[in-house]
Short mmCIF file of all heavy atoms in Angstrom, two decimals:
data_model
loop_
_atom_site.label_atom_id
_atom_site.label_comp_id
_atom_site.label_asym_id
_atom_site.label_seq_id
_atom_site.Cartn_x
_atom_site.Cartn_y
_atom_site.Cartn_z
N LYS A 53 -17.06 12.88 -19.38
CA LYS A 53 -17.05 11.79 -18.40
C LYS A 53 -15.69 11.72 -17.73
O LYS A 53 -14.68 11.98 -18.35
CB LYS A 53 -17.34 10.45 -19.08
CG LYS A 53 -18.82 10.19 -19.28
CD LYS A 53 -19.11 8.74 -19.55
CE LYS A 53 -19.08 7.87 -18.32
NZ LYS A 53 -20.00 8.23 -17.26
N SER A 54 -15.70 11.37 -16.44
CA SER A 54 -14.39 11.23 -15.79
C SER A 54 -13.76 9.90 -16.22
O SER A 54 -14.46 8.96 -16.58
CB SER A 54 -14.54 11.29 -14.27
OG SER A 54 -15.42 10.31 -13.82
N HIS A 55 -12.45 9.83 -16.21
CA HIS A 55 -11.73 8.62 -16.64
C HIS A 55 -10.72 8.27 -15.55
O HIS A 55 -10.21 9.14 -14.86
CB HIS A 55 -10.97 8.87 -17.94
CG HIS A 55 -11.83 9.35 -19.06
ND1 HIS A 55 -12.40 8.51 -19.97
CD2 HIS A 55 -12.25 10.60 -19.41
CE1 HIS A 55 -13.13 9.21 -20.83
NE2 HIS A 55 -13.05 10.49 -20.50
N ALA A 56 -10.44 6.98 -15.44
CA ALA A 56 -9.41 6.58 -14.48
C ALA A 56 -8.40 5.70 -15.22
O ALA A 56 -8.76 4.94 -16.10
CB ALA A 56 -10.04 5.78 -13.34
N ILE A 57 -7.13 5.85 -14.86
CA ILE A 57 -6.10 5.04 -15.53
C ILE A 57 -4.93 4.83 -14.57
O ILE A 57 -4.61 5.71 -13.75
CB ILE A 57 -5.65 5.72 -16.86
CG1 ILE A 57 -4.82 4.74 -17.70
CG2 ILE A 57 -4.90 7.01 -16.60
CD1 ILE A 57 -4.76 5.12 -19.15
N GLN A 58 -4.31 3.65 -14.65
CA GLN A 58 -3.20 3.32 -13.75
C GLN A 58 -1.88 3.43 -14.50
O GLN A 58 -1.75 2.99 -15.63
CB GLN A 58 -3.38 1.89 -13.24
CG GLN A 58 -2.41 1.54 -12.15
CD GLN A 58 -2.60 0.09 -11.68
OE1 GLN A 58 -1.92 -0.81 -12.18
NE2 GLN A 58 -3.49 -0.12 -10.75
N MET A 59 -0.89 4.08 -13.81
CA MET A 59 0.45 4.22 -14.40
C MET A 59 1.46 3.57 -13.46
O MET A 59 1.22 3.48 -12.25
CB MET A 59 0.81 5.70 -14.55
CG MET A 59 -0.16 6.50 -15.36
SD MET A 59 0.29 8.23 -15.43
CE MET A 59 -0.47 8.86 -13.97
N GLU A 60 2.58 3.12 -14.04
CA GLU A 60 3.68 2.60 -13.19
C GLU A 60 4.87 3.52 -13.38
O GLU A 60 5.23 3.88 -14.49
CB GLU A 60 4.02 1.16 -13.62
CG GLU A 60 2.92 0.19 -13.24
CD GLU A 60 3.20 -1.23 -13.72
OE1 GLU A 60 4.29 -1.46 -14.30
OE2 GLU A 60 2.35 -2.11 -13.51
N TYR A 61 5.48 3.90 -12.25
CA TYR A 61 6.57 4.88 -12.31
C TYR A 61 7.68 4.44 -11.37
O TYR A 61 7.43 4.06 -10.22
CB TYR A 61 6.03 6.26 -11.89
CG TYR A 61 7.07 7.36 -11.89
CD1 TYR A 61 7.72 7.76 -13.06
CD2 TYR A 61 7.38 8.04 -10.70
CE1 TYR A 61 8.65 8.77 -13.05
CE2 TYR A 61 8.32 9.06 -10.69
CZ TYR A 61 8.95 9.43 -11.87
OH TYR A 61 9.87 10.44 -11.86
N VAL A 62 8.92 4.43 -11.87
CA VAL A 62 10.05 4.02 -11.04
C VAL A 62 10.75 5.27 -10.51
O VAL A 62 11.16 6.14 -11.28
CB VAL A 62 11.03 3.14 -11.84
CG1 VAL A 62 12.22 2.75 -10.98
CG2 VAL A 62 10.32 1.90 -12.35
N TYR A 63 10.85 5.36 -9.18
CA TYR A 63 11.49 6.53 -8.55
C TYR A 63 12.49 6.03 -7.51
O TYR A 63 12.13 5.27 -6.61
CB TYR A 63 10.43 7.41 -7.89
CG TYR A 63 10.97 8.61 -7.15
CD1 TYR A 63 11.62 9.64 -7.83
CD2 TYR A 63 10.83 8.71 -5.77
CE1 TYR A 63 12.12 10.73 -7.15
CE2 TYR A 63 11.32 9.81 -5.07
CZ TYR A 63 11.97 10.82 -5.77
OH TYR A 63 12.46 11.91 -5.10
N GLU A 64 13.76 6.43 -7.68
CA GLU A 64 14.85 5.99 -6.79
C GLU A 64 14.86 4.48 -6.60
O GLU A 64 14.92 3.97 -5.48
CB GLU A 64 14.73 6.70 -5.43
CG GLU A 64 14.97 8.22 -5.56
CD GLU A 64 14.94 8.92 -4.21
OE1 GLU A 64 14.50 8.30 -3.22
OE2 GLU A 64 15.34 10.10 -4.17
N GLY A 65 14.72 3.77 -7.74
CA GLY A 65 14.84 2.30 -7.71
C GLY A 65 13.60 1.56 -7.25
O GLY A 65 13.54 0.34 -7.30
N GLU A 66 12.57 2.28 -6.79
CA GLU A 66 11.35 1.60 -6.35
C GLU A 66 10.24 1.83 -7.35
O GLU A 66 10.15 2.89 -7.96
CB GLU A 66 10.90 2.15 -4.98
CG GLU A 66 11.56 1.46 -3.81
CD GLU A 66 10.84 1.79 -2.50
OE1 GLU A 66 9.77 1.19 -2.26
OE2 GLU A 66 11.33 2.65 -1.75
N LYS A 67 9.35 0.81 -7.49
CA LYS A 67 8.25 0.95 -8.44
C LYS A 67 7.00 1.45 -7.71
O LYS A 67 6.63 0.90 -6.68
CB LYS A 67 7.96 -0.39 -9.11
CG LYS A 67 7.01 -0.25 -10.30
CD LYS A 67 7.00 -1.48 -11.17
CE LYS A 67 5.89 -2.41 -10.71
NZ LYS A 67 5.69 -3.54 -11.58
N TYR A 68 6.39 2.49 -8.24
CA TYR A 68 5.17 3.05 -7.64
C TYR A 68 4.00 2.88 -8.61
O TYR A 68 4.18 2.94 -9.83
CB TYR A 68 5.35 4.54 -7.33
CG TYR A 68 6.30 4.80 -6.18
CD1 TYR A 68 7.68 4.89 -6.40
CD2 TYR A 68 5.82 4.95 -4.89
CE1 TYR A 68 8.56 5.12 -5.36
CE2 TYR A 68 6.69 5.18 -3.83
CZ TYR A 68 8.06 5.27 -4.07
OH TYR A 68 8.91 5.49 -3.01
N ILE A 69 2.80 2.68 -8.04
CA ILE A 69 1.59 2.60 -8.86
C ILE A 69 0.85 3.92 -8.68
O ILE A 69 0.49 4.30 -7.56
CB ILE A 69 0.72 1.41 -8.45
CG1 ILE A 69 1.38 0.12 -8.93
CG2 ILE A 69 -0.68 1.53 -9.03
CD1 ILE A 69 0.73 -1.14 -8.46
N LEU A 70 0.65 4.65 -9.77
CA LEU A 70 -0.04 5.94 -9.71
C LEU A 70 -1.40 5.79 -10.38
O LEU A 70 -1.48 5.40 -11.55
CB LEU A 70 0.76 7.03 -10.45
CG LEU A 70 2.25 7.14 -10.16
CD1 LEU A 70 2.86 8.29 -10.97
CD2 LEU A 70 2.52 7.38 -8.68
N ASN A 71 -2.47 6.06 -9.65
CA ASN A 71 -3.81 6.01 -10.22
C ASN A 71 -4.29 7.44 -10.47
O ASN A 71 -4.49 8.20 -9.54
CB ASN A 71 -4.78 5.32 -9.25
CG ASN A 71 -4.51 3.83 -9.14
OD1 ASN A 71 -4.44 3.14 -10.15
ND2 ASN A 71 -4.33 3.35 -7.93
N LEU A 72 -4.44 7.78 -11.76
CA LEU A 72 -4.91 9.12 -12.12
C LEU A 72 -6.40 9.07 -12.42
O LEU A 72 -6.85 8.24 -13.20
CB LEU A 72 -4.15 9.61 -13.36
CG LEU A 72 -4.77 10.79 -14.11
CD1 LEU A 72 -4.78 12.04 -13.25
CD2 LEU A 72 -4.02 11.08 -15.40
N ILE A 73 -7.15 9.95 -11.76
CA ILE A 73 -8.59 10.04 -12.04
C ILE A 73 -8.83 11.41 -12.68
O ILE A 73 -8.70 12.44 -12.02
CB ILE A 73 -9.40 9.86 -10.74
CG1 ILE A 73 -9.16 8.46 -10.17
CG2 ILE A 73 -10.89 10.06 -11.01
CD1 ILE A 73 -9.63 8.25 -8.77
N ASP A 74 -9.12 11.41 -13.97
CA ASP A 74 -9.33 12.66 -14.71
C ASP A 74 -10.77 13.10 -14.50
O ASP A 74 -11.69 12.30 -14.65
CB ASP A 74 -9.06 12.41 -16.21
CG ASP A 74 -9.12 13.68 -17.02
OD1 ASP A 74 -8.94 14.75 -16.43
OD2 ASP A 74 -9.36 13.61 -18.23
N THR A 75 -11.00 14.36 -14.12
CA THR A 75 -12.36 14.79 -13.77
C THR A 75 -12.90 15.77 -14.81
O THR A 75 -12.14 16.49 -15.42
CB THR A 75 -12.35 15.51 -12.40
OG1 THR A 75 -11.44 16.60 -12.48
CG2 THR A 75 -11.93 14.58 -11.30
N PRO A 76 -14.23 15.82 -14.96
CA PRO A 76 -14.81 16.83 -15.86
C PRO A 76 -14.55 18.23 -15.30
O PRO A 76 -14.45 18.40 -14.08
CB PRO A 76 -16.31 16.53 -15.84
CG PRO A 76 -16.46 15.19 -15.23
CD PRO A 76 -15.26 14.97 -14.37
N GLY A 77 -14.45 19.23 -16.19
CA GLY A 77 -14.15 20.58 -15.71
C GLY A 77 -15.38 21.44 -15.59
O GLY A 77 -15.34 22.49 -15.00
N HIS A 78 -16.52 20.99 -16.16
CA HIS A 78 -17.66 21.91 -16.22
C HIS A 78 -18.50 21.86 -14.96
O HIS A 78 -18.65 20.82 -14.33
CB HIS A 78 -18.53 21.58 -17.44
CG HIS A 78 -19.40 22.73 -17.84
ND1 HIS A 78 -20.61 22.96 -17.26
CD2 HIS A 78 -19.22 23.72 -18.73
CE1 HIS A 78 -21.14 24.05 -17.79
NE2 HIS A 78 -20.31 24.53 -18.69
N VAL A 79 -19.08 23.00 -14.62
CA VAL A 79 -19.82 23.15 -13.38
C VAL A 79 -21.02 22.19 -13.29
O VAL A 79 -21.41 21.78 -12.21
CB VAL A 79 -20.26 24.62 -13.21
CG1 VAL A 79 -20.96 25.13 -14.44
CG2 VAL A 79 -21.14 24.81 -12.03
N ASP A 80 -21.61 21.78 -14.44
CA ASP A 80 -22.76 20.88 -14.40
C ASP A 80 -22.42 19.53 -13.76
O ASP A 80 -23.29 18.85 -13.24
CB ASP A 80 -23.28 20.60 -15.82
CG ASP A 80 -24.05 21.77 -16.39
OD1 ASP A 80 -24.08 22.81 -15.71
OD2 ASP A 80 -24.61 21.65 -17.48
N PHE A 81 -21.15 19.13 -13.85
CA PHE A 81 -20.79 17.79 -13.37
C PHE A 81 -20.06 17.84 -12.02
O PHE A 81 -19.22 17.00 -11.75
CB PHE A 81 -19.92 17.09 -14.42
CG PHE A 81 -20.51 17.13 -15.80
CD1 PHE A 81 -19.90 17.84 -16.83
CD2 PHE A 81 -21.69 16.46 -16.09
CE1 PHE A 81 -20.46 17.90 -18.10
CE2 PHE A 81 -22.26 16.51 -17.36
CZ PHE A 81 -21.64 17.22 -18.36
N SER A 82 -20.40 18.83 -11.19
CA SER A 82 -19.59 19.02 -9.97
C SER A 82 -19.75 17.87 -8.97
O SER A 82 -18.85 17.60 -8.19
CB SER A 82 -19.92 20.35 -9.29
OG SER A 82 -21.29 20.41 -9.03
N TYR A 83 -20.90 17.15 -8.98
CA TYR A 83 -21.04 16.02 -8.05
C TYR A 83 -20.07 14.90 -8.44
O TYR A 83 -19.43 14.30 -7.58
CB TYR A 83 -22.48 15.51 -8.04
CG TYR A 83 -22.66 14.26 -7.19
CD1 TYR A 83 -22.43 14.30 -5.81
CD2 TYR A 83 -23.01 13.04 -7.75
CE1 TYR A 83 -22.57 13.15 -5.04
CE2 TYR A 83 -23.15 11.90 -6.98
CZ TYR A 83 -22.94 11.96 -5.62
OH TYR A 83 -23.05 10.83 -4.85
N GLU A 84 -19.95 14.65 -9.76
CA GLU A 84 -18.98 13.63 -10.22
C GLU A 84 -17.57 14.01 -9.79
O GLU A 84 -16.78 13.17 -9.39
CB GLU A 84 -19.01 13.53 -11.75
CG GLU A 84 -20.02 12.54 -12.27
CD GLU A 84 -19.85 12.31 -13.77
OE1 GLU A 84 -18.70 12.24 -14.25
OE2 GLU A 84 -20.87 12.18 -14.46
N VAL A 85 -17.25 15.32 -9.91
CA VAL A 85 -15.92 15.78 -9.50
C VAL A 85 -15.72 15.52 -8.01
O VAL A 85 -14.66 15.05 -7.58
CB VAL A 85 -15.76 17.30 -9.80
CG1 VAL A 85 -14.41 17.80 -9.32
CG2 VAL A 85 -15.88 17.55 -11.29
N SER A 86 -16.77 15.77 -7.20
CA SER A 86 -16.62 15.59 -5.74
C SER A 86 -16.37 14.13 -5.39
O SER A 86 -15.61 13.82 -4.47
CB SER A 86 -17.86 16.12 -5.00
OG SER A 86 -18.87 15.16 -4.97
N ARG A 87 -16.99 13.19 -6.13
CA ARG A 87 -16.77 11.76 -5.83
C ARG A 87 -15.37 11.33 -6.27
O ARG A 87 -14.75 10.51 -5.63
CB ARG A 87 -17.83 10.90 -6.52
CG ARG A 87 -19.24 11.09 -6.01
CD ARG A 87 -19.43 10.81 -4.52
NE ARG A 87 -19.02 11.91 -3.68
CZ ARG A 87 -18.59 11.82 -2.44
NH1 ARG A 87 -18.47 10.65 -1.87
NH2 ARG A 87 -18.25 12.87 -1.75
N SER A 88 -14.91 11.90 -7.40
CA SER A 88 -13.55 11.58 -7.85
C SER A 88 -12.53 12.09 -6.83
O SER A 88 -11.55 11.41 -6.53
CB SER A 88 -13.26 12.22 -9.21
OG SER A 88 -14.16 11.73 -10.16
N ILE A 89 -12.79 13.29 -6.30
CA ILE A 89 -11.88 13.86 -5.29
C ILE A 89 -11.89 13.00 -4.03
O ILE A 89 -10.85 12.78 -3.40
CB ILE A 89 -12.30 15.32 -4.99
CG1 ILE A 89 -11.87 16.23 -6.16
CG2 ILE A 89 -11.71 15.82 -3.69
CD1 ILE A 89 -12.33 17.67 -6.05
N ALA A 90 -13.08 12.47 -3.67
CA ALA A 90 -13.17 11.65 -2.45
C ALA A 90 -12.38 10.34 -2.59
O ALA A 90 -12.00 9.73 -1.59
CB ALA A 90 -14.64 11.33 -2.16
N ALA A 91 -12.10 9.92 -3.84
CA ALA A 91 -11.36 8.67 -4.05
C ALA A 91 -9.85 8.89 -4.10
O ALA A 91 -9.09 7.99 -4.40
CB ALA A 91 -11.83 8.01 -5.35
N CYS A 92 -9.38 10.12 -3.83
CA CYS A 92 -7.96 10.46 -3.97
C CYS A 92 -7.37 10.93 -2.65
O CYS A 92 -8.08 11.30 -1.72
CB CYS A 92 -7.78 11.59 -4.98
SG CYS A 92 -8.30 11.15 -6.63
N GLU A 93 -6.01 10.92 -2.60
CA GLU A 93 -5.31 11.51 -1.45
C GLU A 93 -4.61 12.81 -1.84
O GLU A 93 -4.10 13.51 -0.98
CB GLU A 93 -4.25 10.53 -0.91
CG GLU A 93 -4.81 9.40 -0.06
CD GLU A 93 -5.37 8.28 -0.91
OE1 GLU A 93 -4.80 7.95 -1.97
OE2 GLU A 93 -6.42 7.74 -0.52
N GLY A 94 -4.53 13.08 -3.14
CA GLY A 94 -3.84 14.29 -3.58
C GLY A 94 -4.44 14.82 -4.86
O GLY A 94 -5.19 14.12 -5.55
N ALA A 95 -4.12 16.08 -5.18
CA ALA A 95 -4.65 16.67 -6.42
C ALA A 95 -3.62 17.59 -7.04
O ALA A 95 -2.89 18.29 -6.34
CB ALA A 95 -5.92 17.46 -6.11
N LEU A 96 -3.57 17.55 -8.37
CA LEU A 96 -2.77 18.55 -9.10
C LEU A 96 -3.69 19.71 -9.41
O LEU A 96 -4.73 19.53 -10.03
CB LEU A 96 -2.25 17.96 -10.43
CG LEU A 96 -1.31 16.77 -10.38
CD1 LEU A 96 -0.91 16.37 -11.81
CD2 LEU A 96 -0.06 17.09 -9.60
N LEU A 97 -3.33 20.89 -8.94
CA LEU A 97 -4.12 22.08 -9.23
C LEU A 97 -3.49 22.75 -10.46
O LEU A 97 -2.42 23.35 -10.37
CB LEU A 97 -4.11 23.03 -8.02
CG LEU A 97 -4.79 24.37 -8.22
CD1 LEU A 97 -6.29 24.20 -8.26
CD2 LEU A 97 -4.41 25.35 -7.13
N VAL A 98 -4.16 22.61 -11.61
CA VAL A 98 -3.57 23.11 -12.86
C VAL A 98 -4.16 24.49 -13.17
O VAL A 98 -5.38 24.65 -13.21
CB VAL A 98 -3.84 22.13 -14.02
CG1 VAL A 98 -3.35 22.70 -15.34
CG2 VAL A 98 -3.16 20.80 -13.75
N VAL A 99 -3.28 25.47 -13.37
CA VAL A 99 -3.72 26.83 -13.69
C VAL A 99 -3.04 27.25 -15.00
O VAL A 99 -1.84 27.05 -15.18
CB VAL A 99 -3.35 27.82 -12.56
CG1 VAL A 99 -3.83 29.21 -12.89
CG2 VAL A 99 -3.95 27.37 -11.24
N ASP A 100 -3.83 27.84 -15.89
CA ASP A 100 -3.33 28.28 -17.19
C ASP A 100 -2.46 29.53 -17.00
O ASP A 100 -2.89 30.51 -16.41
CB ASP A 100 -4.55 28.59 -18.07
CG ASP A 100 -4.16 28.90 -19.51
OD1 ASP A 100 -3.06 29.41 -19.71
OD2 ASP A 100 -4.98 28.65 -20.41
N ALA A 101 -1.22 29.49 -17.53
CA ALA A 101 -0.29 30.63 -17.36
C ALA A 101 -0.76 31.87 -18.10
O ALA A 101 -0.33 32.97 -17.81
CB ALA A 101 1.10 30.23 -17.85
N THR A 102 -1.68 31.70 -19.07
CA THR A 102 -2.13 32.87 -19.82
C THR A 102 -3.38 33.49 -19.22
O THR A 102 -3.73 34.62 -19.52
CB THR A 102 -2.43 32.50 -21.29
OG1 THR A 102 -3.50 31.53 -21.29
CG2 THR A 102 -1.23 31.91 -21.97
N GLN A 103 -4.10 32.72 -18.37
CA GLN A 103 -5.39 33.22 -17.86
C GLN A 103 -5.43 33.40 -16.35
O GLN A 103 -6.25 34.15 -15.84
CB GLN A 103 -6.51 32.26 -18.26
CG GLN A 103 -6.74 32.24 -19.74
CD GLN A 103 -7.91 31.35 -20.12
OE1 GLN A 103 -8.58 30.78 -19.27
NE2 GLN A 103 -8.14 31.21 -21.40
N GLY A 104 -4.60 32.68 -15.64
CA GLY A 104 -4.61 32.81 -14.17
C GLY A 104 -5.76 32.03 -13.55
O GLY A 104 -6.43 31.23 -14.20
#
Side-chain angles (χ1 to χ4, degrees):
K53 277 197 78 59
S54 57
H55 303 267
I57 193 160
Q58 189 181 94
M59 303 177 274
E60 290 177 3
Y61 179 63
V62 178
Y63 177 65
E64 294 184 347
E66 274 194 78
K67 191 165 92 173
Y68 289 86
I69 287 173
L70 313 181
N71 290 308
L72 163 65
I73 297 167
D74 185 23
T75 57
H78 201 275
V79 51
D80 284 6
F81 310 113
S82 56
Y83 175 64
E84 271 190 39
V85 177
S86 84
R87 293 301 81 207
S88 299
I89 285 175
C92 297
E93 282 80 38
L96 297 181
L97 175 73
V98 175
V99 181
D100 187 331
T102 62
Q103 293 183 3

